[in-house]
Structures are given as C-alpha cells and as structure tokens.
Amino acid sequence: MSDWERSSTARVIAPARPRKLAKVPFVELADGRLQGVVSSGSDIGRVYVSSVAAGTYTFACSTNNNRPCGGARGSFCNHIRALISEAVLQYGAERVARYLRVEPSDGEPSAQTITDGMSAARPPQGDTKAAAPVFSRFLRHLAYLELTPTTAPLPEMQWFPPTRAVA
Ligand SMILES: [Zn+2]
C-alpha cells in the first residue's frame, strides 16, 4: 500500500464518471476489499451487501438482514457484477484492477475484463462477516446525505486521489 492510500488527507477529486446512485448506493475500496451496497433488482426495500477481496477474489453477498444471496453460489452474482461496474465508474478501471490485483488479459482494464479476470481464477466464496460493518457505514453515509440538502458532489465520496500513472 502506498503512502497516499494510507493517508487520511488525500486530495479531493470528482468521481471518474457519474454514478447511478440508485442501483449501487455505496461502494468503497477498503479493508482489502471492494465492497458496497447494491439494491435488489426485484424488491425496492431490500439491499445486498457485496464484497470481493483483493488478491484472492474471495466473494460474499448477503442481504442487510444477513440472508445469503441466492445468486452468489460458486460464482459472482449480479450484485457483485454491478458493484464492480460501479467501482470502475467511481475509481476508474486501472485503480480498481490495481487494488484487487487483477491482471486483465487484454491490455486496457474495464469492468468486463476485471470481472472476467477474477472469474477465471475460480474465486472462493467467503463468509459474510464484513457485511455488518459495511452496512453500518452505508447507513452513516445515508444519514449524511439526508443532512445535506444539496445536489452538490459529496466530499465524502471524493476522498480519493487522482489515478496516478503506473510506474
Ligand atoms: Zn448477490
């Protein structure tokens, strides 16, 4: 991990691309994982907490009530795929690939090649212990949104430095 990833005073920038907050309201690269909260495709009141670990690609997905995701059996479910796509919009594909330690097979990383690269490694399914802390951070994030009556970009989602050229 480089100094700027440890630093709590990283520079503020806008997301690489605008994100669809409704589908994936919370995404972060933290605790050695890509993790976040993904809305259920069918039930507007239900959300999933999904994660993929850097390096091993160990994945987990469960509802906020800790029910296992029916789609995450043996391979990435649609929530995890959506999470990867949103992470690429938020952080840029290179940063996501670097954080997860994925070597996309054909040059330029993208959400598709990152997903394919990890799937090809036949990642193991992990437990959902991380779901509760991720979900509580999401709730704090929501509280923050409700306290902020503005459509301006959210500083808390932008505490990430610009993508740096790979040495
Ligand atoms: Zn899922």
Side-chain angles (χ1 to χ4, degrees):
M1 193 177 282
S2 59
D3 287 344
W4 59 263
E5 278 173 315
R6 268 191 295 268
S7 169
S8 60
T9 56
R11 274 177 291 161
V12 171
I13 57 149
R17 305 251 295 278
R19 300 193 303 111
K20 284 177 289 191
L21 287 174
K23 176 67 184 160
V24 183
F26 186 63
V27 58
E28 62 179 3
L29 295 173
D31 308 329
R33 287 187 294 268
L34 163 62
Q35 54 196 17
V37 172
V38 182
S39 301
S40 164
S42 51
D43 180 349
I44 200 164
R46 192 191 308 157
V47 296
Y48 288 86
V49 181
S50 311
S51 66
V52 183
T56 63
Y57 317 142
T58 301
F59 64 94
C61 187
S62 60
T63 68
N64 49 313
N65 298 321
N66 211 26
R67 296 227 173 102
C69 170
R73 291 206 180 110
S75 62
F76 293 165
C77 59
N78 289 338
H79 311 116
I80 291 173
R81 291 170 186 278
L83 186 69
I84 295 165
S85 296
E86 289 300 303
V88 164
L89 291 180
Q90 172 71 27
Y91 299 103
E94 271 192 30
R95 176 143 159 70
V96 173
R98 207 159 59 233
Y99 190 89
L100 292 173
R101 282 177 259 144
V102 183
E103 297 274 352
S105 48
D106 56 347
E108 285 285 293
S110 67
Q112 188 65 51
T113 58
I114 289 169
T115 305
D116 290 348
M118 292 194 291
S119 296
R122 299 184 160 273
Q125 190 158 359
D127 61 52
T128 56
K129 269 190 242 142
V134 172
F135 191 67
S136 69
R137 276 209 293 283
F138 167 59
L139 293 181
R140 278 207 299 280
H141 171 69
L142 277 188
Y144 177 82
L145 293 186
E146 282 165 13
L147 287 171
T148 310
T150 173
T151 54
L154 295 167
E156 116 177 12
M157 297 303 289
Q158 297 175 16
W159 275 63
F160 300 97
T163 303
R164 297 205 307 198
V166 179

